[in-house]
Amino acid sequence: MTTVAVLVGSLRKESFSRKVAKALVSLTPGLKFEFLDIGSVSYFNQDLEATPPADWIALRERIAAADAILFVTAEYNRSVPGVLKNAIDVASRPYGQGALMGKPAAIVSTSIGAIGGFGANHHLRQSLCFLNMPVLEQPEAYIGGTGSLFDDAGNLTNDGTRDFLVNFGKALERHIAHNAKR
């Protein structure tokens, strides 16, 4: 089965990004998803590249083992959270040979506001383009109003969002199949 590594850009326990990611996973049975803990990845420091820390090696190995990457992130200051950028920086090294290089990817951005993390989504696309990662273009996923999409148990309650995520999951499956390394 095709394995997708999931990087959630919010560390908060009740993160809406994590809830959206879990909803998407439950609605996409044709793929196997593996959530990676990016909160435990130490800061990138080029001085450490010759002898990378164990947490860098573990992240790189888990990403390398995946067939594709799903980024689900909130927007912080019109960009991606620092923890997500750090994980990308660590996984992108060594330069030109990083674990992310060329992997099919998709982005879901989230926001409690109406524009659904548009800035984070497009900022992230810039970094992924540099890493030669084919990113799912359509449908674009900007999930706004996340504060009202889930019940107290974290279950998705909005039918429109559920339908969108089902279609997004199907598009993700096609995207990965089309861009899989041969």
Side-chain angles (χ1 to χ4, degrees):
M1 181 173 270
T2 301
T3 301
V4 180
V6 181
L7 280 69
V8 177
S10 175
L11 302 180
R12 191 170 63 88
K13 182 180 176 185
E14 293 297 321
S15 160
F16 293 121
S17 295
R18 184 168 308 283
K19 290 177 182 181
V20 168
K22 287 181 177 181
L24 176 60
V25 165
S26 72
L27 297 168
T28 312
L31 298 172
K32 177 184 173 191
F33 293 88
E34 181 179 343
F35 284 76
L36 305 187
D37 175 15
I38 63 173
S40 64
V41 177
S42 57
Y43 292 125
F44 177 75
N45 178 341
Q46 194 170 1
D47 292 342
L48 302 177
E49 284 194 289
T51 55
D55 59 289
W56 290 13
I57 294 168
L59 177 69
R60 291 170 179 172
E61 287 174 348
R62 291 183 74 191
I63 287 175
D67 300 300
I69 311 297
L70 172 65
F71 297 90
V72 184
T73 188
E75 180 173 289
Y76 290 6
N77 301 315
R78 296 287 186 248
S79 186
V80 297
V83 67
L84 181 57
K85 180 65 167 78
N86 182 63
I88 292 168
D89 290 345
V90 167
S92 70
R93 304 299 284 204
Y95 180 77
Q97 305 166 36
L100 292 169
M101 195 61 106
K103 292 238 184 225
I107 301 169
V108 176
S109 57
T110 68
S111 173
I112 57 173
I115 61 172
F118 181 86
N121 195 304
H122 284 270
H123 228 190
L124 184 52
R125 286 177 187 275
Q126 290 176 337
S127 294
L128 303 187
C129 179
F130 179 76
L131 297 172
N132 197 32
M133 297 179 77
V135 179
L136 177 63
E137 295 177 13
Q138 292 295 325
E140 292 178 297
Y142 312 104
I143 310 296
T146 54
S148 64
L149 299 179
F150 300 92
D151 64 18
D152 291 340
N155 299 306
L156 181 63
T157 59
N158 184 284
D159 291 337
T161 303
R162 181 178 292 105
D163 293 344
F164 176 81
L165 291 176
V166 166
N167 288 326
F168 186 87
K170 290 175 184 175
L172 177 59
E173 288 182 51
R174 290 188 302 271
H175 175 71
I176 293 168
H178 179 76
N179 290 286
K181 290 186 178 183
R182 297 182 189 348

Short mmCIF file of all heavy atoms in Angstrom, two decimals, residues 117-166:
data_model
loop_
_atom_site.label_atom_id
_atom_site.label_comp_id
_atom_site.label_asym_id
_atom_site.label_seq_id
_atom_site.Cartn_x
_atom_site.Cartn_y
_atom_site.Cartn_z
N GLY A 117 -5.72 29.91 5.58
CA GLY A 117 -4.27 29.74 5.55
C GLY A 117 -3.66 29.91 4.18
O GLY A 117 -2.64 29.30 3.86
N PHE A 118 -4.25 30.75 3.36
CA PHE A 118 -3.78 30.97 1.98
C PHE A 118 -2.29 31.32 1.94
O PHE A 118 -1.54 30.78 1.13
CB PHE A 118 -4.61 32.09 1.33
CG PHE A 118 -4.23 32.39 -0.08
CD1 PHE A 118 -4.77 31.67 -1.13
CD2 PHE A 118 -3.32 33.40 -0.38
CE1 PHE A 118 -4.43 31.94 -2.45
CE2 PHE A 118 -2.95 33.68 -1.69
CZ PHE A 118 -3.51 32.94 -2.73
N GLY A 119 -1.85 32.22 2.83
CA GLY A 119 -0.45 32.64 2.84
C GLY A 119 0.49 31.48 3.15
O GLY A 119 1.53 31.32 2.50
N ALA A 120 0.15 30.68 4.14
CA ALA A 120 0.98 29.53 4.51
C ALA A 120 1.05 28.54 3.35
O ALA A 120 2.12 28.00 3.05
CB ALA A 120 0.43 28.84 5.75
N ASN A 121 -0.07 28.29 2.71
CA ASN A 121 -0.14 27.34 1.61
C ASN A 121 0.84 27.74 0.51
O ASN A 121 1.64 26.93 0.04
CB ASN A 121 -1.58 27.28 1.09
CG ASN A 121 -1.84 26.10 0.20
OD1 ASN A 121 -1.17 25.90 -0.79
ND2 ASN A 121 -2.86 25.32 0.56
N HIS A 122 0.79 29.00 0.13
CA HIS A 122 1.63 29.44 -0.99
C HIS A 122 3.08 29.65 -0.59
O HIS A 122 3.98 29.43 -1.41
CB HIS A 122 1.02 30.68 -1.64
CG HIS A 122 -0.15 30.28 -2.48
ND1 HIS A 122 -0.04 29.95 -3.80
CD2 HIS A 122 -1.45 30.06 -2.15
CE1 HIS A 122 -1.23 29.57 -4.27
NE2 HIS A 122 -2.09 29.64 -3.27
N HIS A 123 3.34 30.00 0.65
CA HIS A 123 4.71 30.08 1.12
C HIS A 123 5.35 28.69 1.10
O HIS A 123 6.49 28.53 0.68
CB HIS A 123 4.72 30.66 2.53
CG HIS A 123 5.71 31.76 2.70
ND1 HIS A 123 6.00 32.27 3.93
CD2 HIS A 123 6.48 32.44 1.83
CE1 HIS A 123 6.91 33.21 3.81
NE2 HIS A 123 7.20 33.34 2.54
N LEU A 124 4.60 27.71 1.56
CA LEU A 124 5.09 26.34 1.58
C LEU A 124 5.36 25.83 0.17
O LEU A 124 6.36 25.15 -0.08
CB LEU A 124 4.09 25.44 2.32
CG LEU A 124 4.47 23.99 2.53
CD1 LEU A 124 5.84 23.83 3.15
CD2 LEU A 124 3.40 23.30 3.37
N ARG A 125 4.50 26.17 -0.77
CA ARG A 125 4.71 25.75 -2.16
C ARG A 125 6.05 26.23 -2.71
O ARG A 125 6.70 25.53 -3.49
CB ARG A 125 3.58 26.27 -3.05
CG ARG A 125 2.29 25.53 -2.87
CD ARG A 125 1.16 26.12 -3.72
NE ARG A 125 -0.08 25.46 -3.38
CZ ARG A 125 -0.50 24.31 -3.91
NH1 ARG A 125 0.21 23.71 -4.84
NH2 ARG A 125 -1.64 23.78 -3.53
N GLN A 126 6.50 27.41 -2.29
CA GLN A 126 7.80 27.92 -2.75
C GLN A 126 8.93 27.00 -2.33
O GLN A 126 9.81 26.67 -3.13
CB GLN A 126 8.04 29.33 -2.20
CG GLN A 126 7.15 30.37 -2.81
CD GLN A 126 7.37 31.74 -2.17
OE1 GLN A 126 7.85 31.85 -1.04
NE2 GLN A 126 7.01 32.77 -2.89
N SER A 127 8.92 26.59 -1.08
CA SER A 127 9.98 25.69 -0.59
C SER A 127 9.91 24.34 -1.29
O SER A 127 10.94 23.77 -1.66
CB SER A 127 9.85 25.48 0.93
OG SER A 127 10.09 26.68 1.62
N LEU A 128 8.71 23.81 -1.48
CA LEU A 128 8.57 22.48 -2.09
C LEU A 128 8.98 22.51 -3.56
O LEU A 128 9.55 21.54 -4.06
CB LEU A 128 7.15 21.97 -1.91
CG LEU A 128 6.66 21.89 -0.45
CD1 LEU A 128 5.30 21.21 -0.39
CD2 LEU A 128 7.67 21.20 0.45
N CYS A 129 8.73 23.60 -4.23
CA CYS A 129 9.16 23.75 -5.62
C CYS A 129 10.68 23.67 -5.70
O CYS A 129 11.24 23.01 -6.57
CB CYS A 129 8.65 25.08 -6.18
SG CYS A 129 9.13 25.40 -7.88
N PHE A 130 11.37 24.33 -4.77
CA PHE A 130 12.82 24.30 -4.74
C PHE A 130 13.35 22.89 -4.53
O PHE A 130 14.41 22.53 -5.03
CB PHE A 130 13.36 25.23 -3.64
CG PHE A 130 14.85 25.23 -3.55
CD1 PHE A 130 15.61 25.91 -4.49
CD2 PHE A 130 15.50 24.54 -2.55
CE1 PHE A 130 17.00 25.90 -4.43
CE2 PHE A 130 16.89 24.52 -2.47
CZ PHE A 130 17.64 25.21 -3.41
N LEU A 131 12.58 22.07 -3.82
CA LEU A 131 12.98 20.69 -3.55
C LEU A 131 12.52 19.73 -4.64
O LEU A 131 12.59 18.52 -4.47
CB LEU A 131 12.44 20.25 -2.19
CG LEU A 131 13.00 21.05 -1.01
CD1 LEU A 131 12.27 20.69 0.27
CD2 LEU A 131 14.50 20.82 -0.87
N ASN A 132 12.02 20.28 -5.73
CA ASN A 132 11.59 19.49 -6.88
C ASN A 132 10.48 18.50 -6.51
O ASN A 132 10.42 17.39 -7.02
CB ASN A 132 12.78 18.75 -7.51
CG ASN A 132 12.46 18.27 -8.91
OD1 ASN A 132 11.70 18.90 -9.64
ND2 ASN A 132 13.05 17.14 -9.29
N MET A 133 9.62 18.91 -5.61
CA MET A 133 8.51 18.07 -5.17
C MET A 133 7.28 18.42 -6.00
O MET A 133 6.79 19.55 -5.93
CB MET A 133 8.23 18.29 -3.68
CG MET A 133 9.37 17.90 -2.78
SD MET A 133 9.02 18.21 -1.03
CE MET A 133 7.95 16.81 -0.68
N PRO A 134 6.77 17.47 -6.77
CA PRO A 134 5.52 17.75 -7.48
C PRO A 134 4.37 17.87 -6.47
O PRO A 134 4.09 16.94 -5.73
CB PRO A 134 5.33 16.55 -8.40
CG PRO A 134 6.20 15.47 -7.84
CD PRO A 134 7.28 16.13 -7.04
N VAL A 135 3.77 19.05 -6.42
CA VAL A 135 2.72 19.33 -5.44
C VAL A 135 1.36 19.27 -6.12
O VAL A 135 1.19 19.82 -7.21
CB VAL A 135 2.93 20.73 -4.80
CG1 VAL A 135 1.83 21.03 -3.79
CG2 VAL A 135 4.30 20.80 -4.13
N LEU A 136 0.42 18.59 -5.48
CA LEU A 136 -0.95 18.53 -5.99
C LEU A 136 -1.45 19.94 -6.23
O LEU A 136 -1.44 20.77 -5.33
CB LEU A 136 -1.85 17.80 -4.98
CG LEU A 136 -3.34 17.72 -5.32
CD1 LEU A 136 -3.56 16.91 -6.59
CD2 LEU A 136 -4.10 17.11 -4.16
N GLU A 137 -1.86 20.20 -7.47
CA GLU A 137 -2.30 21.55 -7.83
C GLU A 137 -3.79 21.76 -7.62
O GLU A 137 -4.22 22.81 -7.17
CB GLU A 137 -1.90 21.85 -9.26
CG GLU A 137 -0.38 21.89 -9.44
CD GLU A 137 0.05 22.12 -10.87
OE1 GLU A 137 -0.80 22.50 -11.71
OE2 GLU A 137 1.23 21.92 -11.16
N GLN A 138 -4.59 20.78 -7.97
CA GLN A 138 -6.05 20.90 -7.85
C GLN A 138 -6.61 19.61 -7.28
O GLN A 138 -6.21 18.54 -7.71
CB GLN A 138 -6.69 21.18 -9.20
CG GLN A 138 -6.36 22.53 -9.78
CD GLN A 138 -6.92 23.67 -8.95
OE1 GLN A 138 -7.99 23.56 -8.38
NE2 GLN A 138 -6.18 24.75 -8.86
N PRO A 139 -7.46 19.68 -6.33
CA PRO A 139 -8.00 20.91 -5.76
C PRO A 139 -7.03 21.50 -4.75
O PRO A 139 -6.31 20.78 -4.05
CB PRO A 139 -9.29 20.46 -5.08
CG PRO A 139 -9.02 19.04 -4.68
CD PRO A 139 -8.12 18.49 -5.76
N GLU A 140 -6.99 22.83 -4.68
CA GLU A 140 -6.24 23.49 -3.63
C GLU A 140 -7.05 23.35 -2.34
O GLU A 140 -8.27 23.38 -2.38
CB GLU A 140 -6.03 24.96 -3.97
CG GLU A 140 -5.10 25.16 -5.15
CD GLU A 140 -4.94 26.62 -5.51
OE1 GLU A 140 -5.96 27.24 -5.88
OE2 GLU A 140 -3.81 27.12 -5.40
N ALA A 141 -6.35 23.23 -1.22
CA ALA A 141 -7.06 22.99 0.03
C ALA A 141 -6.76 24.09 1.04
O ALA A 141 -5.69 24.11 1.66
CB ALA A 141 -6.67 21.63 0.61
N TYR A 142 -7.71 24.99 1.18
CA TYR A 142 -7.66 26.06 2.17
C TYR A 142 -8.88 25.85 3.06
O TYR A 142 -10.00 26.16 2.65
CB TYR A 142 -7.76 27.44 1.52
CG TYR A 142 -6.83 27.65 0.35
CD1 TYR A 142 -7.32 27.61 -0.95
CD2 TYR A 142 -5.48 27.88 0.54
CE1 TYR A 142 -6.48 27.81 -2.03
CE2 TYR A 142 -4.63 28.08 -0.54
CZ TYR A 142 -5.14 28.04 -1.82
OH TYR A 142 -4.30 28.23 -2.89
N ILE A 143 -8.67 25.30 4.25
CA ILE A 143 -9.79 24.98 5.12
C ILE A 143 -9.94 26.11 6.14
O ILE A 143 -9.15 26.22 7.09
CB ILE A 143 -9.58 23.63 5.84
CG1 ILE A 143 -9.19 22.52 4.85
CG2 ILE A 143 -10.82 23.26 6.64
CD1 ILE A 143 -10.24 22.16 3.83
N GLY A 144 -10.94 26.95 5.95
CA GLY A 144 -11.20 28.06 6.86
C GLY A 144 -12.27 27.71 7.87
O GLY A 144 -12.97 26.70 7.76
N GLY A 145 -12.41 28.55 8.87
CA GLY A 145 -13.45 28.36 9.88
C GLY A 145 -13.30 27.08 10.66
O GLY A 145 -14.31 26.50 11.11
N THR A 146 -12.07 26.64 10.87
CA THR A 146 -11.85 25.32 11.48
C THR A 146 -12.40 25.20 12.89
O THR A 146 -12.69 24.09 13.34
CB THR A 146 -10.35 24.95 11.48
OG1 THR A 146 -9.61 26.00 12.11
CG2 THR A 146 -9.85 24.72 10.06
N GLY A 147 -12.54 26.31 13.58
CA GLY A 147 -13.06 26.28 14.93
C GLY A 147 -14.49 25.78 15.04
O GLY A 147 -14.93 25.36 16.11
N SER A 148 -15.21 25.75 13.93
CA SER A 148 -16.61 25.31 13.97
C SER A 148 -16.86 24.02 13.18
O SER A 148 -18.00 23.65 12.95
CB SER A 148 -17.51 26.42 13.40
OG SER A 148 -17.20 26.65 12.03
N LEU A 149 -15.80 23.33 12.79
CA LEU A 149 -15.95 22.13 11.95
C LEU A 149 -16.00 20.82 12.72
O LEU A 149 -16.32 19.78 12.15
CB LEU A 149 -14.81 22.05 10.93
CG LEU A 149 -14.68 23.19 9.94
CD1 LEU A 149 -13.47 22.96 9.04
CD2 LEU A 149 -15.95 23.34 9.12
N PHE A 150 -15.68 20.85 14.03
CA PHE A 150 -15.52 19.61 14.79
C PHE A 150 -16.35 19.65 16.08
O PHE A 150 -16.56 20.70 16.65
CB PHE A 150 -14.04 19.41 15.15
CG PHE A 150 -13.15 19.32 13.95
CD1 PHE A 150 -12.54 20.45 13.43
CD2 PHE A 150 -12.95 18.11 13.31
CE1 PHE A 150 -11.73 20.38 12.31
CE2 PHE A 150 -12.15 18.02 12.18
CZ PHE A 150 -11.54 19.17 11.68
N ASP A 151 -16.79 18.46 16.51
CA ASP A 151 -17.48 18.38 17.79
C ASP A 151 -16.44 18.28 18.91
O ASP A 151 -15.22 18.30 18.66
CB ASP A 151 -18.47 17.22 17.81
CG ASP A 151 -17.83 15.84 17.68
OD1 ASP A 151 -16.61 15.69 17.92
OD2 ASP A 151 -18.57 14.89 17.34
N ASP A 152 -16.90 18.16 20.14
CA ASP A 152 -16.00 18.12 21.30
C ASP A 152 -15.07 16.91 21.29
O ASP A 152 -14.00 16.94 21.90
CB ASP A 152 -16.80 18.14 22.60
CG ASP A 152 -17.49 19.47 22.84
OD1 ASP A 152 -17.06 20.48 22.23
OD2 ASP A 152 -18.45 19.51 23.64
N ALA A 153 -15.44 15.86 20.58
CA ALA A 153 -14.61 14.66 20.50
C ALA A 153 -13.62 14.73 19.33
O ALA A 153 -12.86 13.79 19.10
CB ALA A 153 -15.49 13.42 20.36
N GLY A 154 -13.64 15.84 18.57
CA GLY A 154 -12.73 16.00 17.44
C GLY A 154 -13.23 15.42 16.14
O GLY A 154 -12.48 15.30 15.18
N ASN A 155 -14.51 15.05 16.08
CA ASN A 155 -15.09 14.48 14.87
C ASN A 155 -15.55 15.59 13.94
O ASN A 155 -16.17 16.56 14.38
CB ASN A 155 -16.29 13.60 15.22
CG ASN A 155 -15.88 12.45 16.10
OD1 ASN A 155 -14.98 11.69 15.78
ND2 ASN A 155 -16.55 12.33 17.24
N LEU A 156 -15.27 15.43 12.67
CA LEU A 156 -15.70 16.39 11.66
C LEU A 156 -17.22 16.36 11.56
O LEU A 156 -17.82 15.30 11.39
CB LEU A 156 -15.07 16.03 10.30
CG LEU A 156 -15.38 16.94 9.13
CD1 LEU A 156 -14.85 18.35 9.36
CD2 LEU A 156 -14.76 16.35 7.86
N THR A 157 -17.85 17.52 11.66
CA THR A 157 -19.32 17.60 11.64
C THR A 157 -19.86 18.33 10.43
O THR A 157 -21.07 18.36 10.23
CB THR A 157 -19.84 18.30 12.91
OG1 THR A 157 -19.28 19.62 12.98
CG2 THR A 157 -19.48 17.51 14.16
N ASN A 158 -19.00 18.91 9.62
CA ASN A 158 -19.42 19.71 8.49
C ASN A 158 -19.44 18.86 7.21
O ASN A 158 -18.39 18.39 6.76
CB ASN A 158 -18.49 20.91 8.34
CG ASN A 158 -18.92 21.84 7.24
OD1 ASN A 158 -18.71 21.54 6.07
ND2 ASN A 158 -19.51 22.96 7.61
N ASP A 159 -20.62 18.66 6.63
CA ASP A 159 -20.76 17.80 5.45
C ASP A 159 -20.02 18.35 4.24
O ASP A 159 -19.44 17.59 3.46
CB ASP A 159 -22.24 17.59 5.10
CG ASP A 159 -22.97 16.74 6.13
OD1 ASP A 159 -22.30 15.95 6.84
OD2 ASP A 159 -24.20 16.87 6.23
N GLY A 160 -20.03 19.66 4.06
CA GLY A 160 -19.33 20.26 2.93
C GLY A 160 -17.83 20.01 3.00
O GLY A 160 -17.20 19.68 1.99
N THR A 161 -17.28 20.15 4.19
CA THR A 161 -15.85 19.90 4.37
C THR A 161 -15.55 18.43 4.19
O THR A 161 -14.55 18.05 3.58
CB THR A 161 -15.38 20.39 5.76
OG1 THR A 161 -15.69 21.78 5.88
CG2 THR A 161 -13.90 20.17 5.95
N ARG A 162 -16.43 17.57 4.70
CA ARG A 162 -16.24 16.13 4.53
C ARG A 162 -16.22 15.77 3.04
O ARG A 162 -15.32 15.05 2.58
CB ARG A 162 -17.36 15.35 5.23
CG ARG A 162 -17.20 13.82 5.10
CD ARG A 162 -18.29 13.06 5.83
NE ARG A 162 -18.15 13.22 7.28
CZ ARG A 162 -18.93 13.99 8.04
NH1 ARG A 162 -19.94 14.66 7.51
NH2 ARG A 162 -18.73 14.10 9.33
N ASP A 163 -17.17 16.29 2.27
CA ASP A 163 -17.20 16.01 0.83
C ASP A 163 -15.94 16.51 0.14
O ASP A 163 -15.37 15.84 -0.72
CB ASP A 163 -18.43 16.66 0.19
CG ASP A 163 -19.74 16.03 0.65
OD1 ASP A 163 -19.71 14.92 1.22
OD2 ASP A 163 -20.79 16.67 0.44
N PHE A 164 -15.50 17.71 0.54
CA PHE A 164 -14.28 18.26 -0.04
C PHE A 164 -13.08 17.36 0.26
O PHE A 164 -12.27 17.06 -0.62
CB PHE A 164 -14.01 19.68 0.48
CG PHE A 164 -12.70 20.22 -0.02
CD1 PHE A 164 -12.61 20.77 -1.29
CD2 PHE A 164 -11.55 20.15 0.77
CE1 PHE A 164 -11.39 21.23 -1.77
CE2 PHE A 164 -10.34 20.62 0.29
CZ PHE A 164 -10.27 21.16 -0.98
N LEU A 165 -12.94 16.90 1.50
CA LEU A 165 -11.81 16.06 1.88
C LEU A 165 -11.85 14.71 1.18
O LEU A 165 -10.79 14.17 0.83
CB LEU A 165 -11.74 15.89 3.40
CG LEU A 165 -11.36 17.16 4.19
CD1 LEU A 165 -11.42 16.89 5.69
CD2 LEU A 165 -10.00 17.69 3.78
N VAL A 166 -13.03 14.16 0.97
CA VAL A 166 -13.14 12.91 0.20
C VAL A 166 -12.58 13.12 -1.20
O VAL A 166 -11.76 12.32 -1.69
CB VAL A 166 -14.60 12.40 0.14
CG1 VAL A 166 -14.76 11.32 -0.91
CG2 VAL A 166 -15.05 11.89 1.50
#
